[in-house]
Amino acid sequence: MTVSEVAPAEQQELEGHGASVRSAAQWLVTSFAAVGALLVAGIQLQNVTQVTVWWKLSLTLLSVVVALLATGSVIVCASRVLIAPVLTWDDLVRRETRQLITSRQATAAQHLEGLPGDPLLLELAAATQMQPVPFTSPRSLREELAGAREDVSTSASEDLQGRMLQLEELAQLCLRYANAWQSRQLYLRLIKVLKRAGTLIVVCIAVFLWASKPADEPLKVAKPFPVQVFLTDSRDALKAAGVDEACAGMTLQGSAVDGDATAPEVATKPAGKCPASRFALTDTLGVAVPVAQ
């Protein structure tokens, strides 16, 4: 079996592989965008204007910026998969040159431990080992192909033409393998970016929701209701609040008429020497307990 007999099938398989990688990348990005849209839809952006603590406001804005940057990194990485640059033979030769330079600069100890080869060139050698013409390196294959073309130009025999055809088809096959390998590597990188960016965005949304949550406001006194007021026995505290000192330590009947649940304004009835009064009941003065009507 010649290379020309298997090349169309292999080309169809490799092109299908690249198309499936791009399709999977597009599906992942679409799913990621849909999930992100659902999460962002639950964020109440108007809460940001209600944040008054400076460090919470800074944390809220920082979480939004980081989430946007993470989303942008996913889009950039996905675009590299969907619009991957085509590898040429010059790219393969440059990879081989970098590998040779690294090998020459390596120390003796590194040579003994074994230098890792270029993963793309190793895969090309493994994928084309069953071809009629063995693949050794991009540079040697290019030199062999140039020599075969020169031989055919001087002596157009069938053997030389067949040899040139095998080398040309091997070169085309290597390029198809190389571009399929590149698409696969970009897709794997996209998967890693999706995992990291997705986790980061979820964390940012959680931080945003926590930092932008408005402080719980105490219940307001909408209408007067009866309360029992337990006053402190500190005459100084009562005097400072404008309450008669004779009310120290007493339990008074009255009504909460204004303010909120934490510090209601109460109007108390007279009891003994304690006259009726109206004042804001704070923690230092005592507590007000609602009573059933």
Side-chain angles (χ1 to χ4, degrees):
M1 181 180 295
T2 64
V3 179
S4 60
E5 294 173 342
V6 299
E10 289 177 338
Q11 180 177 2
Q12 183 178 4
E13 179 182 354
L14 293 173
E15 290 177 351
H17 172 75
S20 64
V21 168
R22 289 189 292 273
S23 177
Q26 187 174 5
W27 180 85
L28 282 173
V29 173
T30 303
S31 302
F32 181 84
V35 173
L38 289 176
L39 292 175
V40 173
I43 294 179
Q44 301 296 325
L45 293 178
Q46 64 268 23
N47 289 345
V48 177
T49 60
Q50 302 176 7
V51 180
T52 56
V53 183
W54 70 268
W55 66 268
K56 279 193 173 184
L57 180 60
S58 301
L59 192 60
T60 300
L61 297 177
L62 179 62
S63 63
V64 173
V65 172
V66 172
L68 291 176
L69 290 176
T71 304
S73 66
V74 173
I75 295 175
V76 171
C77 192
S79 65
R80 292 175 180 172
V81 178
L82 299 175
I83 314 175
V86 178
L87 289 178
T88 63
W89 202 256
D90 289 337
D91 296 324
L92 299 182
V93 173
R94 279 193 291 268
R95 295 180 74 99
E96 180 187 5
T97 302
R98 285 197 298 267
Q99 182 179 356
L100 292 175
I101 294 174
T102 303
S103 177
R104 290 174 183 174
Q105 294 176 346
T107 62
Q110 290 175 326
H111 279 288
L112 291 176
E113 293 176 359
L115 293 174
D118 186 282
L120 174 55
L121 300 183
L122 291 176
E123 182 160 329
L124 288 179
T128 59
Q129 62 182 347
M130 300 302 294
Q131 300 302 320
V133 179
F135 171 80
T136 54
S137 69
R139 193 182 303 275
S140 62
L141 179 55
R142 185 166 64 177
E143 292 175 354
E144 289 182 22
L145 183 55
R149 287 172 177 170
E150 186 177 352
D151 292 339
V152 169
S153 63
T154 56
S155 176
S157 64
E158 291 185 1
D159 292 340
L160 292 177
Q161 289 179 348
R163 174 71 175 178
M164 183 187 68
L165 180 62
Q166 288 178 340
L167 290 172
E168 287 179 346
E169 292 181 339
L170 178 60
Q172 295 174 5
L173 184 61
C174 287
L175 287 177
R176 291 195 293 271
Y177 271 119
N179 282 282
W181 177 88
Q182 177 180 245
S183 297
R184 186 167 65 252
Q185 297 304 311
L186 292 173
Y187 175 77
L188 295 176
R189 190 179 306 169
L190 173 62
I191 294 296
K192 293 181 180 179
V193 173
L194 279 173
K195 290 180 180 178
R196 296 172 183 173
T199 303
L200 185 59
I201 290 174
V202 171
V203 172
C204 288
I205 290 176
V207 171
F208 178 90
L209 293 176
W210 174 81
S212 63
K213 181 181 179 182
D216 295 332
E217 295 184 358
L219 295 175
K220 299 292 184 180
V221 177
K223 62 180 181 178
F225 58 89
V227 293
Q228 249 186 343
V229 180
F230 297 87
L231 290 178
T232 179
D233 56 2
S234 173
R235 295 179 180 273
D236 293 336
L238 294 175
K239 184 179 180 180
V243 182
D244 195 289
E245 297 179 11
C247 301
M250 296 187 66
T251 300
L252 304 177
Q253 304 297 322
S255 299
V257 295
D258 202 357
D260 53 57
T262 59
E265 185 175 343
V266 295
T268 60
K269 298 177 181 179
K273 294 183 179 182
C274 178
S277 58
R278 177 170 176 165
F279 56 92
L281 186 64
T282 61
D283 293 338
T284 58
L285 295 179
V287 294
V289 179
V291 297
Q293 296 180 355

